[in-house]
Each structure stands twice: as structure tokens, then as C-alpha cells.
């Protein structure tokens, strides 16, 4: 039979859910405040949410069978996916597949119809309260609770994808239900009013606690494997919990204004049930089976019991003998659950270790040419599930330059990785050059393991024609009972940070590291194309003569005005630009814009110099001097009006190349400034051989010296005067520093105390306060 084209599902808007929830909340508050009668407020509060859920479930119950089954995440499978092998075998197999899909669709429609009935019954139970007298409300609520529970159980048992539990899983599920159920019964006992307990309220509370425990444990267990089914279980738990609360309130004869309190769990349960049914109706297939984390299963019952006990102690002031006995019964199932979780974890690790050992034995004498790590990412995730201690190491291997390590080298690296780990550690492959090591060791020993692997993997690798060397980056994260995927992500973030910091290192994950890395990734993503998009900008900070405060020049300071990241300063921008090989492009833009600006100011009759900072990468370019001359000629700028600033640490790193480039710039008339001058003995010694015109020093040099010593600025000023170099004191932030620089005989100053960096327009307005000058 011909298969119709798949329908494209529309993304469901959350606006109706929000509107229904807000409307319900308004009616709930009105009922609690006494503005509306309690039964009427409860009915109105649930009306919108239940109507919306019933419409959605009715639509699912009558929807046609889908022909294109979505993937496990609820989205349609990609149209370019590989064809089903069964379909490729011929029409007979295609017919069988179509029949299976039709049966699944029919089952989903029936389940949706039953859930629709359950939601409708729960809604009608609350809706008829204002129409009935007080004597009939409790029987109506009981009937609604029983019928709603029966319908929910019928539907949940028929949800697609349900698998039979194994013996150990059944025992663990039973213990979890028992622990949570006992804690809920204890909480109900503690929170019920003092005095005689009505029989109906006691039975309803106990039965409701048991059902809630079963549904909550099932929802937690299915949340990864069958998310849609988990939502249906959670929705049923909320709905039945709301009806149970209604029965208890009516049995105690609670005031009518308390009845709207049942609206919140009922509306949330109805909407959650509809959302889960929508997901399962798309043909939800079971996903990867991952054991639930141990900590919520163990701590949730204890937390519920402790909270209820605290509330009871604060209100009643003491515990009865029965209450204490019931509270003590919470402890045994929690302890049994913890023992079962530990046993499950040991079995998983032993099973994976045995599998790894068996596969290694199968490799035999050819082990050096085959893969010594046969465990996969899925194996690693399973081993990490529920683990409450230890650490995860993510190891990345880098070839020389951009080359990927060749096959034999990767195999030898994997062998070293396995040999360097402890026997009980699990080693898994994450990619061609990425591995993970799961260890039970604590932080100190785990870090020592990382250093040990770093040393072993960094040793030379023999190969035909010579040896190969690999770079190694290791990221570490503590497991500590967290979600396995989150732990793996954290270790990988630490590994990326190790790469950014130069490789051949071990880095621990922490929250600050993640912030830095995310920021760095954002910068790397947004910076390419910033020049073409017109996002770069220059601000200018004036340089003044200290004697009369007259402006003599400006320094061009780079700013990146990113629409996504805001204003980014050079200290953060330039390292990223260097890693992305964008410094040349950005430097050419800065030089061109600075020359254009100083030319514009010169046309206005103000002869100032323009200082431009240059990076080591720019200076090392063979055509840097020629490019500078071309930019000056393009805007008819006199060469002496341009000052190229280079930091002293850059000169110390590559003195011969830097000196050659600076000499070339001076040969065409461009002036040179040495920035960040440290005034150390070595700095003073090399000052004689550098072709510079301006020397920029920090304000610390002009401060007073103790013990009657000669101020260091005097030494620098004396040497600069003998070499014909002018001094510029930068970072002057107070009038005291300005006065100290002037007393020391420094000619020029720069800093916030004199003028702040600003746009060209604001600097021009500042210039108007001074007559034209040329320095």
C-alpha cells in the first residue's frame, strides 16, 4: 500500500499552558482569600487547565497513525536518514513494518483516550463540588479518586515501551517504593491535625502515600529511558495526590477556603499527563538504560521524613510513641537501598573490567597493533551512573602541529594509557585521540594519576624513519554522584582549558573555569568577521605637557563593540586574535583608522602625534614597515606624527627582529615609544641600543624612596636625557602623582587625572578648551 508523506509536527506553544496556570492561580488566591466560595474557586481554578489537557488528549486519541516515527527525543527522524533495512528487502517486509506502526499508533490512541477519561473524571470531581451540598461532597471526592486512579493505572500499564524488570531491578524498585512510601505515610501522620483521625482520611492518606511512592519511583526510573512515560507517571502522581488531599480536607471538615489548594497539583498533573501522552504518541522508543543516581533515591525519603518531623516538632512540640516508632521504620529501607545501590555499582564496574580484560586477552600477541582500549562512551556512562566518589580524567592527544597522530602511534598511546592506569580503573575511548579514565581515587591521587599519564604519553614514540612526539592535555572532574553526562562535560571543559593554557598540563574543573572557557569560546566564535561587520572602534587618550597641561598627542586604544558580548578590551581581545591568526587584519585596521583620524585633526590646524600599539606578531611581518609607509601616504600624514608603541617585554623576547623593524620605521621618519619600561638593570642596559624616541614609565617610579636613596626616576631621566629620549609618565590617576612627575623633570604625562580615553568627537570637544599647539 502507498505510504503518504510524513506530516511535519508543529512546535507546541507554551502560551496556553501559561495562561491556564495564571488564571488558575488567580482563582486559587481569590478562594483562599475568601473573595470566592471555596468550592467555586476550586472548580474555576482547575477549569482552564483541565479543559486544555482534555482537548489535547482527545486530539491524540483521534489522530491518524503517523507514518514517520519520531526519534526517542520526540522529534521527527531526519529525512536524509539511512533507509530501514527491513524496508529495503521488499514489499512484504514493508507491509509488516507498516502493520507494526499501525498497531503502535492504535495502542497510543487507546492510551490517550483512557488518560483523557482520567483527566475528565478528575476535573468533573472538582467541578461538581459547588453544585452539591456538604453532605455529598466527600462521597463524590472518594468516587472520583477511585475512578481516576483506576483509569490512570489502566493507561500507565499500557504505555508503549514498557519492559519487564529483572530480579535485581524489581528488588531495588520495591525497596525504593517502600522507603518513599513509609516516609510519605510518616509525613502524613505528622502533618495531620492532632486528635482522632477520621477513618476515611487515614485510609486515603495511607493508600495515597503508597500510590504516590509507586508513581514517583516509576517516573524517576523512566525519566531517561522513556521521558514521555515518566511525564505520564508524574502527572498521575500529581492528580491523585490532589484528589487525596481533597478527600482528607473534606473528611476533616476543613473550611471551604482551603479547598482551592487542591487546584495546583491537579492542574499541573493534567498538563503534565497531556505532555507525556503527546510524546509517547509519536512512537517513543526506549533509550539507553542508565541506572538512576543513588543520591535522590536515598536522600528524598530521609529529607521528606525530616522535614515533616521538623514541622510537627515546631507546631506540636513533642512526638507520640506511635509517631516515633513509625519514624524509625523509615531507616531500614533507606539503608537497604544504599546497600543495593553500592552493590549495583560494584557489579557494573566489575562487569566492565571483566569485559575489558577479556577483550585485551583476545588481542593476543598482536595487542600492539590492535586497540588496547575496547570500552566505549556508553560503557563509561553506565559505569559512572550512581557513583558517589572518585574522579574522571579526559585525556586528549595532539600531533605535532595540526597533524593527527597516525594509527600505530595512537595504538601505542592507548597501550601506555592502559598500562599507566590502575588495574581497577576503567579506560574508555571517546574519539580518535580522546580517552577517559574513571578512577575511584580521591582528588590528590587522581591528580597524581593525571601527571603520571602526562609523563608516560609525552615520551617519544618510535616509528619508521625516526620518532614522534605527542602533546597531551588532561582534564579532571570529581564524579561525586553527579549526572554522568554532566561529569563528562566538566572533565572535557577542564581538558579544553588545558589546551588553551598551552597543553602538556593537567587542569581541574571548577565553576570559574567554566565561566572563563565559555567566555573564551564566545570570543572565538564572534571575533572572526568583526572587522568586516564594522564592530571595531578606537578611543583616544590625550598625552599632555606637564608644564602647561597642553595636549601634544593621543594614544589610540582598541575597543571591540560586540553586539553579543558588549565592549571587549584589548587585554581580552588580543590573545584570542593571536590564537585565531587575526592580529594582522586587526592591526591593519587600527593603523588605517589612526592615520585617518590624525589627518583629520591636522586639517583642523592641530598638529598632534598619534600613538599606535603594535603586537609582536605585527612587528615580525616582513612588510610591516612598507605597510606603515603606505598608510601614512594614503592620508598624507607626516611620518613624525605617528608613534609606534612597543612593550618592553616584547623587545626582550625577540630583540634582533624587533630592533631591525624599529630601525626600519625610524628610517622613514616614524617615531618609536618603548612602553611598560620596567627600569631594571637589564632594561637600563639595553636602552642604549634601542632606536627609540619616547620612553613610557609607570607612576611608581616617581614615588618617594626610603632611607634617603636617590629616586629611580632620576636615574632613568638622566639616562634618557643623555640618549635624547623624552619621558612620558603614564597611568597618572591623582594630582599628587602629576605633581610628582613634574617635579621629577618628566616632560609629558598621560592618565585619568589628566584626560580619560574617549571617542574622537569627545576628544575634539576637549581640544577646543586649548589653543592650537604643535609638539
Amino acid at each position: 500500500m502507498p505510504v503518504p508523506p510524513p506530516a511535519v509536527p508543529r512546535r507546541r506553544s507554551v502560551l496556553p499552558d501559561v495562561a491556564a496556570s495564571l488564571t488558575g492561580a488567580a482563582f486559587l488566591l481569590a478562594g483562599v482569600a475568601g473573595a470566592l466560595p471555596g468550592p467555586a474557586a476550586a472548580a474555576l481554578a482547575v477549569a482552564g487547565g483541565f479543559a486544555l489537557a482534555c482537548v489535547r488528549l482527545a486530539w491524540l486519541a483521534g489522530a491518524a497513525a503517523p507514518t514517520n516515527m519520531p526519534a526517542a527525543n520526540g522529534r521527527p527522524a531526519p529525512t536524509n536518514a539511512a533507509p530501514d533495512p527491513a524496508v529495503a528487502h521488499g514489499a512484504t517486509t514493508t507491509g509488516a513494518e507498516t502493520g507494526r506502526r499501525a498497531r503502535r499508533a492504535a495502542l497510543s490512541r487507546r492510551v490517550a483516550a483512557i488518560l483523557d477519561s482520567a483527566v475528565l473524571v478528575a476535573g468533573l470531581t472538582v467541578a461538581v463540588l459547588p453544585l452539591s451540598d456538604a453532605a455529598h461532597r466527600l462521597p463524590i471526592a472518594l468516587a472520583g479518586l477511585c475512578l481516576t486512579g483506576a483509569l490512570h493505572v489502566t493507561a500507565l500499564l499500557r504505555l508503549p515501551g514498557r519492559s519487564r524488570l529483572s530480579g535485581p531491578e524489581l528488588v531495588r524498585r520495591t525497596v525504593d517504593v517502600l522507603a518513599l512510601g513509609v516516609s510519605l505515610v510518616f509525613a502524613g501522620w505528622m502533618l495531620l491535625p492532632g486528635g482522632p483521625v477520621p477513618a476515611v482520611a487515614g485510609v486515603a492518606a495511607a493508600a495515597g502515600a503508597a500510590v504516590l511512592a509507586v508513581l514517583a519511583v516509576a517516573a524517576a526510573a523512566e525519566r531517561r529511558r522513556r521521558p514521555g512515560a515518566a511525564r505520564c507517571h508524574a502527572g498521575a502522581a500529581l492528580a491523585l495526590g490532589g484528589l487525596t488531599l481533597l478527600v482528607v480536607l473534606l473528611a476533616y471538615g476543613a473550611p471551604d477556603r482551603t479547598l482551592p489548594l487542591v487546584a495546583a497539583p491537579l492542574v499541573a498533573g493534567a498538563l503534565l499527563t497531556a505532555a507525556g501522552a503527546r510524546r509517547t504518541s509519536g512512537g517513543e522508543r526506549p533509550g539507553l538504560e542508565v541506572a538512576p543516581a543513588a543520591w535522590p533515591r536515598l536522600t528524598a525519603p530521609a529529607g521528606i521524613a525530616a522535614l515533616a518531623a521538623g514541622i510537627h516538632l515546631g507546631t506540636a512540640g513533642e512526638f507520640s510513641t506511635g509517631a516515633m516508632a513509625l519514624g524509625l521504620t523509615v531507616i531500614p529501607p533507606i539503608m537497604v537501598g544504599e546497600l543495593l545501590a553500592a552493590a549495583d555499582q560494584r557489579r557494573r564496574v566489575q562487569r566492565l573490567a571483566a569485559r575489558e580484560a577479556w577483550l585485551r586477552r583476545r588481542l593476543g600477541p598482536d595487542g600492539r597493533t590492535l586497540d588496547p582500549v575496547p570500552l566505549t562512551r556508553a560503557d563509561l556512562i553506565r559505569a559512572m551512573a550512581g557513583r558517589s566518589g572518585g574522579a574522571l580524567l579526559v585525556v586528549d592527544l595532539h600531533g605535532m602541529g595540526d597533524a593527527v597522530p597516525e594509527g600505530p602511534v595512537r595504538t601505542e598511546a592507548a597501550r601506555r594509557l592502559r598500562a599507566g592506569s590502575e588495574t581497577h580503573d576503567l579506560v574508555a575511548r571517546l574519539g580518535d585521540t580522546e580517552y577517559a579514565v574513571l578512577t575511584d581515587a580521591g582528588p590528590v591521587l587522581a591528580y597524581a594519576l593525571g601527571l603520571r599519564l602526562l609523563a608516560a604519553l609525552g615520551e617519544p614514540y618510535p616509528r619508521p624513519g625516526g620518532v614522534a612526539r605527542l602533546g597531551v592535555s588532561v582534564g579532571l572532574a570529581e564524579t561525586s554522584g553527579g549526572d554522568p553526562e554532566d561529569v563528562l562535560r566538566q572533565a572535557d571543559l577542564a581538558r579544553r582549558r588545558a589546551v588553551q593554557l598551552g597543553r602538556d598540563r593537567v587542569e581541574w574543573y571548577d565553576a570559574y573555569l567554566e565561566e572563563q572557557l565559555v567566555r573564551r569560546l564566545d570570543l572565538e566564535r564572534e571575533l572572526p568577521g568583526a572587522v568586516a561587520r564594522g564592530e571595531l572602534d578606537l578611543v583616544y587618550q590625550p598625552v599632555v605637557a606637564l608644564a602647561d597641561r597642553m595636549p601634544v598627542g593621543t594614544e589610540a586604544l582598541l575597543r571591540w563593540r560586540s553586539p553579543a558580548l558588549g565592549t571587549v578590551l584589548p587585554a581580552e581581545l588580543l590573545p584570542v586574535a593571536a590564537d585565531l591568526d587575526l592580529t594582522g587584519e586587526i592591526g591593519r585596521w587600527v593603523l588605517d583608522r589612526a592615520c585617518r583620524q590624525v589627518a583629520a585633526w591636522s586639517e583642523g590646524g592641530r598638529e598632534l602625534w598619534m600613538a599606535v600599539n603594535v603586537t609582536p606578531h605585527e612587528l615580525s611581518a616582513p612588510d610591516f614597515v612598507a605597510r606603515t609607509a603606505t598608510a601614512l601616504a594614503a592620508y598624507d600624514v607626516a611620518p613624525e606624527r605617528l608613534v609606534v608603541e612597543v612593550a618592553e617585554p616584547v623587545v626582550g623576547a625577540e630583540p634582533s627582529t624587533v630592533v631591525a623593524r624599529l630601525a626600519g620605521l625610524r628610517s622613514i621618519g616614524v617615531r618609536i615609544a618603548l612602553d611598560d619600561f620596567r627600569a631594571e638593570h637589564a632594561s637600563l642596559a639595553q636602552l642604549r641600543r634601542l632606536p627609540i624616541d619616547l620612553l613610557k614609565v609607570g607612576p611608581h617610579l616617581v614615588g618617594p624612596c626610603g632611607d634617603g636613596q636617590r629616586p629611580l626616576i632620576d636615574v632613568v631621566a638622566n639616562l634618557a636625557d643623555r640618549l635624547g629620549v623624552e619621558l612620558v609618565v603614564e597611568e597618572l590617576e591623582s594630582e599628587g602623582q602629576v605633581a610628582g612627575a613634574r617635579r621629577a623633570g618628566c616632560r609629558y604625562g598621560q592618565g585619568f587625572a589628566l584626560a580619560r580615553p574617549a571617542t574622537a568627537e569627545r576628544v575634539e570637544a576637549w581640544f577646543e578648551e586649548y589653543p592650537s599647539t604643535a609638539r
Side-chain angles (χ1 to χ4, degrees):
M1 58 181 294
V3 179
V8 179
R10 293 178 295 177
R11 185 180 297 275
R12 180 171 62 85
S13 173
V14 299
L15 291 179
D17 295 25
V18 174
S21 301
L22 292 177
T23 304
F27 284 119
L28 187 154
L29 292 175
V32 173
L36 285 175
L44 292 172
V46 303
F50 271 76
L52 187 61
C54 285
V55 169
R56 288 174 177 168
L57 289 168
W59 183 87
L60 292 173
T67 58
N68 183 29
M69 304 304 291
N73 60 3
R75 299 177 182 173
T79 56
N80 61 347
D84 191 332
V87 177
H89 275 76
T92 302
T93 308
T94 303
E97 176 64 21
T98 303
R100 285 194 295 272
R101 291 183 177 180
R103 288 192 294 275
R104 284 199 300 266
L107 176 61
S108 297
R109 292 199 298 273
R110 288 194 294 272
V111 170
I114 299 172
L115 290 174
D116 192 20
S117 301
V119 171
L120 182 61
V121 169
L124 290 175
T125 300
V126 181
V128 300
L129 289 180
L131 305 178
S132 58
D133 54 41
H136 293 93
R137 288 174 183 170
L138 179 57
I140 291 173
L142 277 172
L145 174 61
C146 294
L147 184 53
T148 302
L151 290 171
H152 269 299
V153 170
T154 303
L156 295 177
L157 291 176
R158 298 165 69 94
L159 283 174
R162 188 169 66 92
S163 58
R164 180 173 299 178
L165 297 177
S166 64
E169 290 173 335
L170 183 60
V171 172
R172 184 178 61 203
R173 185 79 61 90
T174 302
V175 171
D176 291 342
V177 169
L178 184 61
L180 185 58
V182 173
S183 67
L184 289 174
V185 170
F186 175 74
W189 184 298
M190 292 292 98
L191 298 178
L192 288 177
V197 178
V200 175
V203 173
V211 173
L212 285 178
V214 172
L215 293 175
V217 170
E222 298 284 5
R223 68 186 180 90
R224 290 184 179 278
R225 202 176 68 89
R226 294 193 302 160
R231 293 178 186 179
C232 289
H233 282 85
L238 288 170
L240 296 176
L243 290 176
T244 301
L245 177 60
L246 177 62
V247 169
V248 173
L249 291 175
L250 293 174
Y252 269 97
D256 283 352
R257 68 174 181 273
T258 62
L259 297 183
L261 295 176
V262 305
L266 286 174
V267 172
L271 295 176
L272 198 57
T273 299
R278 180 177 183 271
R279 188 170 184 125
T280 58
S281 68
E284 183 176 52
R285 294 178 175 85
L288 179 64
E289 183 80 38
V290 178
W295 65 267
R297 294 163 44 212
L298 301 177
T299 58
I304 292 173
L307 179 62
I311 295 175
H312 177 81
L313 188 62
T315 55
E318 61 180 1
F319 292 104
S320 65
T321 304
M324 288 190 290
L326 183 59
L328 292 176
T329 60
V330 178
I331 299 175
I334 293 178
M335 294 181 62
V336 173
E338 186 171 3
L339 293 176
L340 289 176
D344 289 343
Q345 175 63 24
R346 284 195 299 270
R347 280 196 298 270
R348 282 194 297 271
V349 173
Q350 290 170 358
R351 187 165 56 249
L352 289 174
R355 176 189 171 192
E356 184 181 9
W358 178 76
L359 289 172
R360 285 203 307 271
R361 288 195 299 269
R362 284 195 62 188
L363 296 179
D366 297 328
R368 291 179 61 86
T369 58
L370 297 178
D371 193 349
V373 184
L375 293 186
T376 64
R377 177 191 176 100
D379 296 327
L380 178 70
I381 295 296
R382 291 191 184 97
M384 291 171 60
R387 179 181 287 250
S388 58
L392 178 68
L393 295 82
V394 172
V395 182
D396 191 10
L397 306 177
H398 317 279
M400 302 307 294
D402 295 329
V404 177
E406 57 194 22
V409 173
R410 292 202 304 269
T411 302
E412 172 61 16
R415 188 196 66 78
R416 294 185 188 181
L417 190 68
R418 177 66 267 182
S421 304
E422 299 294 338
T423 305
H424 55 275
D425 293 339
L426 294 181
V427 182
R429 178 183 292 278
L430 302 179
D432 284 343
T433 60
E434 285 188 16
Y435 300 87
V437 180
L438 183 63
T439 178
D440 292 327
V444 176
L445 294 180
Y447 188 79
L449 173 61
L451 294 176
R452 202 161 60 242
L453 295 177
L454 193 70
L457 296 171
E459 290 293 324
Y461 294 81
R463 65 175 180 178
V467 296
R469 292 184 179 273
L470 298 182
V472 185
S473 300
V474 181
L476 268 169
E478 293 186 74
T479 54
S480 63
D483 181 82
E485 292 288 354
D486 285 343
V487 175
L488 183 57
R489 178 187 61 84
Q490 292 170 358
D492 191 60
L493 287 175
R495 190 262 320 163
R496 294 187 186 183
R497 183 62 174 167
V499 173
Q500 286 184 353
L501 294 177
R503 303 178 179 179
D504 294 321
R505 59 190 300 134
V506 181
E507 287 292 322
W508 270 104
Y509 167 83
D510 58 42
Y512 178 65
L513 178 150
E514 183 167 3
E515 292 177 5
Q516 287 183 308
L517 184 59
V518 170
R519 173 71 173 178
R520 176 63 179 246
L521 293 176
D522 290 341
L523 292 170
E524 292 178 351
R525 182 187 66 249
E526 297 292 335
L527 185 56
V531 174
R533 295 190 300 268
E535 295 175 1
L536 297 188
D537 188 21
L538 288 182
V539 296
Y540 306 91
Q541 185 172 29
V543 180
V544 304
L546 292 177
D548 53 13
R549 299 290 184 97
M550 295 291 291
V552 296
T554 60
E555 179 181 0
L557 302 173
L558 178 62
R559 299 290 186 268
W560 174 23
R561 314 291 186 185
S562 170
L565 305 175
T567 299
V568 183
L569 300 180
E572 189 177 22
L573 186 159
L574 293 179
V576 179
D579 288 345
L580 298 179
D581 198 23
L582 296 175
T583 51
E585 177 186 7
I586 294 174
R588 286 190 292 271
W589 180 89
V590 170
L591 181 62
D592 180 85
R593 181 61 59 90
C595 289
R596 186 174 70 179
Q597 186 60 60
V598 74
W601 284 337
S602 297
E603 290 176 359
R606 190 170 295 278
E607 298 295 333
L608 304 165
W609 80 60
M610 176 69 72
V612 175
N613 292 277
V614 177
T615 66
H617 181 78
E618 293 177 86
L619 276 178
S620 63
D623 64 339
F624 180 73
V625 176
R627 278 195 285 111
T628 303
T630 301
L632 292 171
Y635 295 101
D636 195 23
V637 175
E640 64 271 13
R641 295 299 170 192
L642 179 65
V643 176
V644 170
E645 287 194 14
V646 57
E648 187 202 345
V650 174
V651 177
E654 299 182 41
S656 57
T657 303
V658 172
V659 170
R661 294 290 185 272
L662 297 182
L665 289 171
R666 287 195 78 186
S667 68
I668 63 173
V670 174
R671 292 194 287 175
I672 309 298
L674 186 64
D675 197 7
D676 296 332
F677 186 69
R678 294 170 294 186
E680 299 170 350
H681 180 75
S683 303
L684 294 170
Q686 75 170 356
L687 192 60
R688 298 177 180 274
R689 64 187 186 90
L690 292 176
I692 62 173
D693 303 278
L694 298 168
L695 185 64
K696 302 187 74 172
V697 299
H700 62 282
L701 294 184
V702 300
C705 293
D707 300 330
Q709 293 182 356
R710 182 185 181 189
L712 186 56
I713 189 63
D714 291 348
V715 179
V716 176
N718 182 51
L719 181 59
D721 184 63
R722 289 164 55 190
L723 297 175
V725 176
E726 296 288 353
L727 282 180
V728 181
V729 183
E730 55 185 346
E731 300 178 14
L732 296 173
E733 298 182 357
S734 68
E735 286 297 328
Q737 291 178 335
V738 173
R742 188 170 57 249
R743 284 195 303 269
C746 300
R747 186 174 182 183
Y748 302 123
Q750 182 181 6
F752 286 180
L754 299 170
R756 290 178 174 270
T759 60
E761 293 78 12
R762 296 187 64 180
V763 171
E764 288 175 3
W766 184 79
F767 284 159
E768 294 301 323
E769 301 177 9
Y770 301 91
S772 176
T773 184
R775 303 286 174 124

